[in-house]
Amino acid sequence: MTTYLLVAVFAVAYPLLALWQLRTKKLRDRLDLLIVLAAALLFLLAARALADWQAVPPWLWLVGLGLAGVAIGYSGWVWPHLTWLGSDRPRRRATFAGIQLVIAAALMTLLV
Amino acid sequence: MKVSFSAGIAVLVALAVVAGGWLLRPQTLELESAQTGDPKLQAYIDQHFDGPGHRLEVVVIGDNSMTFAGRGANEHSPFEIGSVSKAITGLLLADSVGRGEVKLDQQVGTLLPLGDAEVATATLEDLATHHSGLPRTATKPSAVARSLLTSLNAGNPYPYDVDDLISQAKADAGGRGAPAYSNVGGALLGQALARKAGKSYPDLLRERILQPLDMQETHVPATDAQAAPPGYSSGGRKEAPWIQDGYAPAGGIVSSAGDLSLLLQSLLRGNGVEALAPRKDFEEGDRIGLFWLTSPLAGTDRKMVWHNGGTGGYRSFVGLDLDKKRAVVVLSDVAADVDEFATELLAAQ
């Protein structure tokens, strides 16, 4: 039960965190932005699959979806102010970011 | 200009994500509107069933009567019954003991090739009362990974054959003594009985339980075509059928309310009740027989003998009040517990 509630809270809390990171310019580069948004969607899909929606009100998920939508929309204003790779080791940075995005995409495919 | 272009793209993506999310959102399913069966029992469902539901079938059984009511289902509709399969395996154990094929204090290692693994010394009674020390589910890394994966993609977590089951059980020996609910133990017991009888578990089930009671709508599915229709998670996600081979005795049976009513009515008439008799203490003050649990029947001074079941997309409950000779069956194709509803229905008889 606690686990289920935690999952549901993450579905709302992570998109909120993503929005906060965008708003306060905490992101290093565009890859960071993509990873943060992908993670927000991943948490939403995981919550949909794993939460006990008999115990947790389904509207909570829609709050998370709304926040994720706002974060994605707002990212359009942040995007031009970021470079693709804000790192001293661009190749390594690109590799790790790419791996994270591929894993996120694979998990999302499973969860849909 | 650059900002407005990226903002436009982002807003479009956001709208697409929100629209897609709306389609995928978790939902509280409602019972189907099509009604079958007894109007009074339908009225009871209207007044008391408050969980998410979709297809639902409810039965009240006496020793000479059966009253059915369904939503989007009838007494012939197939449902996955999950761990109610264990209760049926308990009946098979009592039957095998009655035939003199096995003894309750016989070690499972005498029936299955478990080698010198700790589980080999568990008795059939240990397995049937969840006192074998085996865990709830297999703890081999590959099985845990598979279980995690299937919880993500709404798949079948028990695709294992009998050899896989034996291998998992050998790796999963634990401390014995305290009760611990075990799907591994339930499956191992059923396969041990089948091995002793020289048959597969589905054949043993058919010959010793299904055919004598004329339960023609009950089987162990081996393919998608034989499976029950996909059920739903509590949030409305469609779940894959749980087609089980090695684990069939613990949770792989598909049945109908009509067939389960035949089984419970036979028990109410005194056939096979030795499996129901409590033998050991279980969790939360319950007592346990050969998988069948005995608990106080809430709101009454009577006892209830029962088992419930669950798969990815189904929930089930069978319960008997042996004093009043009444029993209930509740089957749902949504993975939201029906125990409370079923218990109240039984208490109201």
Side-chain angles (χ1 to χ4, degrees):
Chain A
M1 176 68 179
T2 309
T3 312
Y4 289 141
L5 278 173
L6 274 176
V7 171
V9 168
F10 268 114
V12 175
Y14 198 89
L16 202 57
L17 180 69
L19 201 52
W20 176 76
Q21 287 179 305
L22 287 167
R23 183 89 185 113
T24 55
K25 299 184 170 58
K26 299 281 183 194
L27 305 172
R28 283 177 292 177
D29 51 30
R30 290 176 177 175
L31 288 178
D32 251 3
L33 186 149
L34 290 174
I35 290 167
V36 163
L37 294 180
L41 295 179
L42 196 56
F43 273 116
L44 270 174
L45 289 171
R48 168 178 169 266
L50 301 176
D52 178 0
W53 295 106
Q54 195 178 5
V56 181
W59 57 259
L60 198 62
W61 194 86
L62 292 177
V63 173
L65 177 67
L67 288 168
V70 171
I72 292 168
Y74 184 64
S75 71
W77 276 266
V78 177
W79 183 270
H81 303 294
L82 296 171
T83 58
W84 271 107
L85 290 165
S87 169
D88 296 337
R89 296 172 168 177
R91 189 169 293 178
R92 184 173 155 176
R93 165 97 183 107
T95 304
F96 281 119
I99 289 170
Q100 288 178 70
L101 288 170
V102 167
I103 290 173
L107 287 172
M108 280 192 262
T109 306
L110 274 178
L111 287 163
V112 170
Chain B
M1 186 66 186
K2 204 173 176 184
V3 168
S4 59
F5 177 72
S6 61
I9 297 288
V11 168
L12 284 175
V13 172
L15 288 173
V17 165
V18 170
W22 178 260
L23 295 175
L24 291 174
R25 71 191 185 282
Q27 301 175 60
T28 303
L29 291 168
E30 300 290 336
L31 285 178
E32 284 206 354
S33 55
Q35 302 188 2
T36 60
D38 180 68
K40 271 189 184 171
L41 196 50
Q42 285 288 353
Y44 186 90
I45 294 170
D46 284 337
Q47 289 163 14
H48 294 89
F49 190 85
D50 57 2
H54 178 242
R55 288 195 303 127
L56 178 77
E57 184 66 22
V58 178
V59 197
V60 175
I61 303 137
D63 53 351
N64 282 306
S65 64
M66 291 180 192
T67 306
F68 298 93
R71 293 292 176 84
N74 61 32
E75 62 268 36
H76 304 296
S77 302
F79 288 81
E80 291 181 354
I81 63 170
S83 290
V84 172
S85 306
K86 291 188 187 73
I88 296 176
T89 297
L91 299 176
L92 277 174
L93 172 58
D95 179 80
S96 296
V97 171
R99 292 168 186 262
E101 287 180 352
V102 296
K103 293 178 178 173
L104 288 177
D105 61 359
Q106 186 170 352
Q107 294 184 349
V108 68
T110 64
L111 301 170
L112 291 173
L114 292 163
D116 55 2
E118 191 177 333
V119 67
T121 60
T123 66
L124 302 189
E125 181 171 309
D126 288 337
L127 293 169
T129 57
H130 296 299
H131 280 73
S132 67
L134 287 167
R136 186 175 193 92
T137 53
T139 59
K140 282 181 96 172
S142 58
V144 172
R146 166 107 206 165
S147 180
L148 182 64
L149 186 71
T150 56
S151 68
L152 297 179
N153 73 349
N156 171 17
Y158 297 106
Y160 307 110
D161 62 21
V162 181
D163 291 338
D164 294 331
L165 168 69
I166 289 170
S167 166
Q168 290 169 359
K170 285 166 78 172
D172 267 335
R176 205 164 293 156
Y181 192 94
S182 176
N183 290 316
V184 186
L188 201 65
L189 173 59
Q191 298 299 351
L193 299 176
R195 186 71 61 100
K196 177 65 182 175
K199 304 172 192 300
S200 68
Y201 178 81
D203 285 344
L204 185 74
L205 174 70
R206 190 163 40 249
E207 289 179 23
R208 299 196 175 172
I209 302 275
L210 306 183
Q211 286 176 347
L213 292 173
D214 199 24
M215 295 168 65
Q216 298 180 21
E217 295 162 348
T218 302
H219 64 283
V220 177
T223 63
D224 280 346
Q226 297 169 351
Y232 298 87
S233 72
S234 61
R237 190 186 191 198
K238 201 172 264 194
E239 299 280 332
W242 283 16
I243 295 169
Q244 303 174 50
D245 174 11
Y247 277 81
I253 297 176
V254 166
S255 187
S256 67
D259 268 11
L260 291 175
S261 300
L262 290 171
L263 181 71
L264 295 197
Q265 191 167 64
S266 173
L267 290 168
L268 287 177
R269 290 172 177 168
N271 304 315
V273 285
E274 50 275 21
L276 280 50
R279 295 170 178 275
K280 291 185 180 176
D281 289 333
F282 195 57
E283 296 160 341
E284 299 173 9
D286 292 341
R287 302 262 296 152
I288 187 166
L290 303 182
F291 288 122
W292 290 84
L293 295 157
T294 297
S295 311
L297 182 53
T300 75
D301 56 0
R302 305 192 303 273
K303 302 257 187 210
M304 163 180 74
V305 182
W306 62 282
H307 211 290
N308 59 6
T311 64
Y314 282 85
R315 288 293 182 271
S316 56
F317 185 97
V318 295
L320 303 103
D321 179 343
L322 294 173
D323 293 334
K324 290 200 82 172
K325 291 207 179 296
R326 287 287 182 275
V328 298
V329 174
V330 178
L331 303 174
S332 168
D333 74 344
V334 178
D337 283 347
V338 295
D339 296 15
E340 197 176 322
F341 169 78
T343 304
E344 287 175 6
L345 176 62
L346 185 58
Q349 301 309 307

